[in-house]
Amino acid sequence: MSQSHYNKLWVDAQEELSSLLTEEFPAQSARPEKDRVVFFQRLATFYVRYIQIFRHLEQAHDQVVQPQKRRLIRTVLDGVIGRVLELKNEMVEKEFSEYHYVDDVVQDLKLSPADIEIPIPRYFIRERSKVLQQRQAMLTAILGKMEVTEKAKPAIFRRLNLEEAIKVIQVAERARQGRLRAKFMKEIQKDKGERQKKAMGRDRGAAARNMAAICVQKVWRGYVQRKTTKRDREEELIFLGMAMEHGFEQPFSSENKVQTTQAQRRLQQEAHEEDYQKSIVAVTNKLRNVEGVEMTENMKDEIRQWFIECHDATGSFPDYPDEEDGGSALIFAEKTPQQLMDEIAAKEDEDANKRPKGKEEKKGKGKKDKAKGGEEEEEEPGLKMLPSTFLSNLEVGYKTFVDVWQNRDESKNFSQRHEAELIKEEQRKVIEGDIRLQVDALMRQELDNLKIMVDKDRGGKGKAKLNVKKKKGSKSGKKKKKDKDLTADRTLESLYQELVEQGLLRKADNVKLHDYMGDYSYLGTTLRQTDIEPMPSLSDVRQVLTLYAVLPLGSQAVHEKAPLVKAIMLVGPAGVGKKMLVHAICQELGANLFDLSPLNTVGKYPGKSGLTMMLHMVFKVARLMQPSVVWIGDAEKMFYKKVPKEDKELDPKRLKKDLPKVLKSIKGGDRVLVMGTTRDPLNADIKSLCKVYSKIILIPRPDYASRYVMWKQLIKKQGGEVTSALDISSLAKISDGYTPGHMVKVIDSILTERRVLQLAKRPLTAAEFVAPLAKIDPVFQVEEEALKGWYAKTPLGKKRSKAATGRDEELAATKGKGTKKKGKK
């Protein structure tokens, strides 16, 4: 595909974004919606449309080679990602569920399930490729040293008792006798075969030759007819559109060519980016040398003119604006001297009003404000969309697109290199800002000198008021104590090495999120309309974790403003892929994986001081080398109601008190995520667990559609071939209740190297997989219902249950009433 295609993708995405922004900011403010279903439908429509824009912008950002365009696309892309996360958060609050089914919206917009698959931006890894390579090399080197330094354990010989020695001798003797008997039987069979050949040779005649010929003909004609019938059947299915031609199953040469072209474009991006950076330096130096002096003199003249105008208008020289307020930038605004002085005076009054007041004034003011807020909310009850922190960025991005790129003639820029004039416009502002700081320092001194001279002319009665900055008092009144750095004298590399040697920092398995296979939920909305709560599919689980974990951690700009998710708990039976998802998230982001599972921390850093040091080191390295994922396996053990005897040695509740304190210190700028996994949450204290994990994701056993996809893909991945002899539909049906882990285990046991070599003569059949499946216990309905019952006791589960039964209908329909009750308390 050419550059024009990706430029068109970008333009189409901006046009759709313009339409969405018009709906987000209507000319007349929309009245609150009272119908929860209608309001959620609006949210879901926005959500799906923003995902479409997200997909188009991600493709454009990955393939557009013009560096200035890519910067603007990146800004808008981050804004769209943030808006998607905000809408997801709002949908959870309004529907009281982590899983949402928008198949009706997808159908109305004439889209397919693949069109709403949330992509993972490729720049997450590409922009950090060098850092990731260095980190990987460092980790490999540390692990290599550990393997070399580890001494081989001496062989331990255990003395056998009399019974064990007799048993070993008996096994060896029986094996010897078996081998002798097998050799003897082989010789008997050989002699028997020779005698039969001699007898057949004597009786062989014309009749025997005719029968042999008939037999050969029968076999050959049957083989040819079966082959012809099979070919005719395949052609019929292809004609009916029920099967695909064999050529389409293999990758086309054009597909390989597209992948090669995309890789070449990425290399071209790097070359253009390097050229762009060099041009910025060259243009900046040239502008500074040519226009810098003129800018300085013009600023000084304008500021001096402002001094004179203010003195003529008010009879005195003004106070110079503070650097924090913008300095002389306020002077260059199109305002009269009197307006500017009024603004400065108003700002000083506002700062004075911000000082802490007495308790009585605060309480009285708070009551009035709350009363006013309550009255306003009571006037217009209903559901409103929450304020967004990303819509302003999207508006600025769209305005820049319209002003700069929409009508720009690029017919002469066929190679899509940078635009020098745009660099000049941007760098003029930067140079002007730098020069303004220097000019402000000089003009402040000049203003002070003018005031002193005026005071002397008046007879020295008045004292000169020097422009001294007033220190603003802190809002809280008390300075917060900074956490003491327990490892201030150590380097980051030494901390990293120690964590690797202790096994707390480990290498993530090479799996991706797309390896977590599952099909789309096609009947989710239909089931909910009939008051039946559908179980999410594995595709829904993958989508939720992409939204909660991958997208926020991948972009610093998104993580700082998006709804903050500090900890996620994955709950599900054994084998559903909880651990795989943790490793996949790390691989998609290039994130560090820290292991604080009770089984892994036992015996390490003992005592209270040791625990403090361990957590300090882990989260310090996690912050400095972000993004990072802290994994806690068997997370329910930390919140045991009563520790079992077999787990007392592990001290599983060791992190229970200190981990919540560390989580509180994680802010929007820290791309650190705590992920817990559990298959038995019923033994944990649910209140303590829910305080730590703000998001609890229930992973069910796979449904029929997901099992069908998994059997097909896993068999191919293991080297098998899916033919008409293999009835995958029946296999997916009889494997109800089995997890992906069970399926992988069964496929590994069947598709051995020998069986793969036999596939050409003996294709796979569904019956081969039945016997290994029968030996494994599935996830029974009782276990799944127990997990559902436990999830219903979580905060979000309780809200969902109340909304379903209608007991909380009034509170859920009007957010204002809930706010009023809070204010009265």
Side-chain angles (χ1 to χ4, degrees), residues 36-54:
R36 180 175 292 275
V37 176
V38 174
F39 184 76
F40 182 81
Q41 196 75 3
R42 184 187 176 199
L43 282 177
T45 305
F46 278 170
Y47 175 74
V48 172
R49 291 174 67 185
Y50 270 113
I51 288 177
Q52 293 300 105
I53 297 174
F54 177 16

Side-chain angles (χ1 to χ4, degrees), residues 789-800:
W790 176 86
Y791 185 78
K793 297 176 184 177
T794 62
L796 194 65
K798 288 179 180 178
K799 290 179 182 178
R800 180 70 189 169

Side-chain angles (χ1 to χ4, degrees), residues 345-374:
K347 186 171 181 59
E348 290 178 356
D349 294 340
E350 186 180 347
D351 292 339
N353 292 332
K354 284 183 180 178
R355 292 173 187 169
K357 299 182 180 180
K359 293 182 180 178
E360 294 179 2
E361 292 179 16
K362 284 185 178 180
K363 287 181 181 179
K365 189 177 178 183
K367 288 180 181 179
K368 289 178 183 178
D369 291 342
K370 288 172 184 176
K372 287 180 182 178

Side-chain angles (χ1 to χ4, degrees), residues 701 737 776-786:
R701 56 185 185 176
I776 302 173
D777 290 332
V779 178
F780 295 104
Q781 193 73 21
V782 178
E783 183 178 351
E784 190 169 5
E785 291 298 327

Side-chain angles (χ1 to χ4, degrees), residues 111-128:
L111 301 174
S112 66
D115 292 329
I116 62 168
E117 183 75 23
I118 298 173
I120 298 173
R122 282 160 275 197
Y123 77 81
F124 286 179
I125 294 292
R126 280 187 58 205
E127 292 186 355
R128 300 174 57 243

Side-chain angles (χ1 to χ4, degrees), residues 519 702-709 728-734 736:
D519 205 0
D703 55 2
Y704 170 81
S706 296
R707 292 195 303 273
Y708 185 92
V709 171
I728 296 182
S729 179
S730 299
L731 194 57
K733 185 67 177 176
I734 65 172
D736 185 15

Side-chain angles (χ1 to χ4, degrees), residues 211-392:
M211 289 299 296
I214 292 171
C215 183
V216 171
Q217 289 174 356
K218 187 188 297 183
V219 172
W220 173 250
R221 287 172 180 170
Y223 168 75
V224 171
Q225 186 60 44
R226 285 192 298 271
K227 196 171 181 180
T228 305
T229 305
K230 183 180 178 182
R231 186 179 64 251
D232 293 344
R233 179 174 178 80
E234 289 176 354
E235 289 176 356
E236 183 182 5
L237 291 174
I238 292 169
F239 175 75
L240 295 173
M242 298 176 66
M244 192 177 290
E245 293 186 39
H246 296 294
F248 287 97
E249 295 176 2
Q250 301 297 327
F252 284 124
S253 58
S254 58
E255 291 180 1
N256 297 330
K257 189 176 180 180
V258 167
Q259 293 175 0
T260 305
T261 306
Q262 290 179 347
Q264 290 174 351
R265 270 203 204 97
R266 295 187 185 106
L267 294 175
Q268 196 176 3
Q269 284 177 359
E270 295 176 3
H272 285 197
E273 179 66 26
E274 187 178 351
D275 189 22
Y276 174 64
Q277 295 297 336
K278 290 178 181 177
S279 297
I280 289 177
V281 175
V283 170
T284 303
N285 293 334
K286 186 176 180 180
L287 286 174
R288 198 179 294 276
N289 295 332
V290 175
E291 301 180 9
V293 177
E294 186 179 353
M295 284 184 185
T296 303
E297 293 304 322
N298 289 339
M299 286 183 192
K300 286 182 178 180
D301 292 342
E302 290 184 16
I303 294 170
R304 289 191 185 106
Q305 182 66 27
W306 178 66
F307 291 166
I308 295 169
E309 291 177 2
C310 288
H311 186 272
D312 293 343
T314 61
S316 62
F317 287 107
D319 292 331
Y320 205 94
D322 292 336
E323 186 178 332
E324 297 174 358
D325 300 331
S328 58
L330 290 176
I331 302 171
F332 299 145
E334 295 179 358
K335 295 175 183 176
T336 63
Q338 187 62 42
Q339 287 176 337
L340 187 59
M341 292 184 67
D342 291 343
E343 280 189 9
I344 295 172
K347 186 171 181 59
E348 290 178 356
D349 294 340
E350 186 180 347
D351 292 339
N353 292 332
K354 284 183 180 178
R355 292 173 187 169
K357 299 182 180 180
K359 293 182 180 178
E360 294 179 2
E361 292 179 16
K362 284 185 178 180
K363 287 181 181 179
K365 189 177 178 183
K367 288 180 181 179
K368 289 178 183 178
D369 291 342
K370 288 172 184 176
K372 287 180 182 178
E375 287 174 7
E376 290 175 2
E377 288 170 355
E378 281 183 352
E379 288 175 4
E380 294 187 29
L383 297 170
K384 286 185 178 181
M385 295 187 70
L386 299 175
S388 170
T389 57
F390 290 96
L391 285 176
S392 58

